[in-house]
Amino acid sequence: MNHALRRVSLVCLAMFLLLLVNANYVQGFEAGKLADGPGNGRTFALQYQYQRGSIVTSDNVTVAESKHIGGVYSYQRSYPAGSTYAPVTGYDSPYNKTGIEGAEDKLLAGADPRLAVRNLIDLVTGKPRKGATVQLTVNSVAQQAAYKALKATGLPGGAVAIDPKTGGILALASYPSFNPNKLATLNGNALNQADKKYLNSPQQPLLNRAINETFPPGSTFKIVTSSAAFSSGKYTPDSRYYAPTNLKLPGTTHELINFDNSPCNDGSNPTGTGKVPLIFAFTVSCNTVFGGLGQHLGGANPDYTAYSAIGQYNDTVTPLQEAMFAAAIANHGTLMHPYLVQKVIAPNLSTLVVTVPSRLSRTVSPAVAGQVSRMMADVVAQPYGTAHSMVANLGGITVAGKTGTAQNGANNTGLDDAVFTGFAPVANPRIAVGVVVKGGGLGADASAPVAAAIIKAYMNYLNSSPKR
């Protein structure tokens, strides 16, 4: 009997020790995880007892803030401009955070270790905890122009504007968009309805087309092909290159043609059997010239290289990457790291974080960038350039750019996507843009006007602001 009791006692002791070890492990190593878990009702309620920090633009327009509402929860998130800034701010819902709300959550919530001393002082002095303010690189004028112009097309699309000298993102817009206020509600039923509506919408309003959807770049990729050609040292913008009306692709029965199957004719090539300067071919966007140039430069099977050289086949980019094309050329071949957060300011107005611009890569030499810039300027300035029509909407601002009309879908049966990338002013670039309008047709018809609206709005802001 004593032997059996001893065994039971040992088992009970072992179980007690396991429980003790588990309790200490949870408190020592799992406390943070459990505290931050979505099922923690105390943490859930606590996050709405403190005022979350605001999100503001570079020109100090508030685009996200916490408003005092009283009741069980003291504060609720509010987005004054709603859908215009939704791709940037994201949303702060009771169960999820996206965009800047998610990326800078700890600073906005006041839970970042860099705010620990500030929080301790507030605790001692009886002040409520408050989150830090996140200031974006986004300019409110450029952002509003981007969203308004995209919305006016009535088609899905994305637009991004960058400061080519720093990499700071001046605008990042997507259409269709969503109203983040609907997802910030503290009413569970209303939240579920809004969430279901957005998730099931065929328009996909939650998809950030500026950075999360890729499109064929079309003829804007001729910027890359030209850069490769000039970097080889064998070509200049004035080099004459074979310009057939139809370019036969080796190993296939396919032929590459120009728009409307017309010859690439600068006046010296009416039959499509001669040569034209590369700058002319770029300005009027001759596919056969750049397809042939791509074949000669190499890199893959010649037939597929010809398609890739004009931004077709399997080439894909985001509107952000389109803007980076132009930004690199505008900045003499140096591509800067794109960034959205300019600085973070503590509740006592001290600066916690300042983003220092940094170089991402040296894409081409300054000489090559200058050559490509010269060709991009002609695309807009020359009467025969594919983007010359945008001049009327620029108010005298000089722009260097490249249009693209990208075929897509199985056997190119989808509606053409309209693409544009460019920078302004030509002599002293302050803004680079990338625009894609899905199903917009010709780049000059749908995307170039969007780019013109963004450029004009931002340059007018710079010229009218005493701080600039």
Side-chain angles (χ1 to χ4, degrees):
M1 185 65 178
N2 290 339
H3 182 67
L5 286 173
R6 187 180 300 112
R7 290 166 62 182
V8 171
S9 299
L10 289 173
V11 171
C12 290
L13 178 61
M15 293 175 66
F16 176 77
L17 290 174
L18 287 173
L19 286 171
L20 186 64
V21 169
N22 182 66
N24 280 276
Y25 175 79
V26 168
Q27 292 181 12
F29 299 98
E30 295 287 320
K33 181 180 178 181
L34 291 172
D36 295 335
N40 190 323
R42 181 181 178 186
T43 302
F44 176 84
L46 193 62
Q47 66 180 316
Y48 295 104
Q49 301 306 312
Y50 303 118
Q51 187 174 8
R52 189 173 174 85
S54 298
I55 301 174
V56 300
T57 65
S58 63
D59 51 326
N60 295 311
V61 174
T62 300
V63 295
E65 60 186 342
S66 289
K67 291 188 173 182
H68 191 271
I69 58 173
V72 178
Y73 306 111
S74 298
Y75 293 94
Q76 181 176 337
R77 208 60 169 158
S78 174
Y79 302 90
S83 55
T84 300
Y85 290 89
V88 178
T89 61
Y91 58 84
D92 173 24
S93 82
Y95 302 106
N96 190 27
K97 295 175 178 63
T98 65
I100 292 296
E101 292 280 26
E104 304 297 335
D105 179 46
K106 287 191 176 297
L107 284 163
L108 289 166
D112 189 276
R114 285 167 288 188
L115 290 168
V117 174
R118 181 73 254 164
N119 291 338
L120 180 61
I121 293 173
D122 287 345
L123 179 64
V124 172
T125 57
K127 295 180 180 179
R129 191 176 83 186
K130 186 178 180 181
T133 296
V134 172
Q135 185 169 45
L136 306 172
T137 58
V138 171
N139 173 267
S140 67
V141 176
Q143 181 71 18
Q144 289 168 9
Y147 182 72
K148 182 180 178 181
L150 280 176
K151 186 177 181 180
T153 69
L155 297 169
V160 177
I162 299 176
D163 182 334
K165 292 181 174 64
T166 66
I169 294 176
L170 303 172
L172 193 152
S174 177
Y175 181 81
S177 187
F178 65 96
N179 184 354
N181 290 297
K182 299 290 186 181
L183 298 172
T185 178
L186 300 177
N187 182 306
N189 291 331
L191 175 59
N192 288 336
Q193 290 176 6
D195 188 47
K196 184 180 295 185
K197 176 184 176 182
Y198 286 139
L199 288 175
N200 294 332
S201 172
Q203 293 184 318
Q204 297 180 286
L206 295 177
L207 175 60
N208 188 344
R209 290 178 168 86
I211 59 175
N212 290 332
E213 185 173 13
T214 59
F215 309 84
S219 290
T220 62
F221 199 78
K222 291 170 185 172
I223 293 173
V224 178
T225 304
S226 299
S227 297
F230 299 155
S231 295
S232 73
K234 298 178 181 179
Y235 304 93
T236 71
D238 299 309
S239 297
R240 299 184 71 85
Y241 202 86
Y242 179 50
T245 301
N246 301 322
L247 179 67
K248 294 183 178 179
L249 304 181
T252 76
T253 58
H254 299 149
E255 289 186 338
L256 194 61
I257 62 173
N258 296 315
F259 180 70
D260 284 345
N261 200 26
S262 58
C264 187
N265 181 24
D266 65 341
S268 66
N269 186 37
T271 60
T273 57
K275 296 180 178 181
V276 300
L278 286 176
I279 190 170
F280 174 81
F282 187 92
T283 302
V284 299
S285 205
C286 296
N287 291 333
T288 58
V289 171
F290 284 91
L293 185 61
Q295 287 179 333
H296 187 74
L297 292 171
N301 291 335
D303 51 341
Y304 299 130
T305 301
Y307 281 120
S308 292
I310 63 167
Q312 295 290 170
Y313 187 44
N314 58 1
D315 297 349
T316 58
V317 294
T318 64
L320 170 60
Q321 290 171 319
E322 281 287 346
M324 292 166 71
F325 280 174
I329 299 301
N331 197 34
H332 311 293
T334 296
L335 179 62
M336 305 299 286
H337 272 282
Y339 63 99
L340 266 173
V341 175
Q342 183 169 290
K343 61 182 177 180
V344 180
I345 305 164
N348 66 352
L349 303 183
S350 63
T351 301
L352 291 174
V353 179
V354 175
T355 301
V356 179
S358 61
R359 189 177 79 171
L360 178 60
S361 66
R362 165 71 75 179
T363 60
V364 293
S365 70
V368 168
Q371 291 174 317
V372 177
S373 176
R374 176 188 162 198
M375 298 204 304
M376 292 174 68
D378 267 13
V379 169
V380 180
Q382 294 294 346
Y384 52 84
T386 56
H388 184 68
S389 60
M390 70 187 297
V391 171
N393 299 318
L394 290 170
I397 302 167
T398 56
V399 173
K402 185 70 189 80
T403 57
T405 304
Q407 297 174 323
N408 62 83
N411 298 317
N412 295 326
T413 56
L415 294 174
D416 292 343
D417 294 337
V419 191
F420 182 86
T421 185
F423 60 85
V426 174
N428 181 29
R430 302 295 300 274
I431 182 173
V433 296
V435 181
V436 180
V437 176
K438 194 171 185 178
L442 296 177
D445 291 343
S447 286
V450 174
I454 300 169
I455 290 170
K456 185 177 180 180
Y458 184 64
M459 292 308 302
N460 286 344
Y461 164 80
L462 292 181
N463 292 332
S464 65
S465 174
K467 295 181 180 180
R468 299 282 173 164

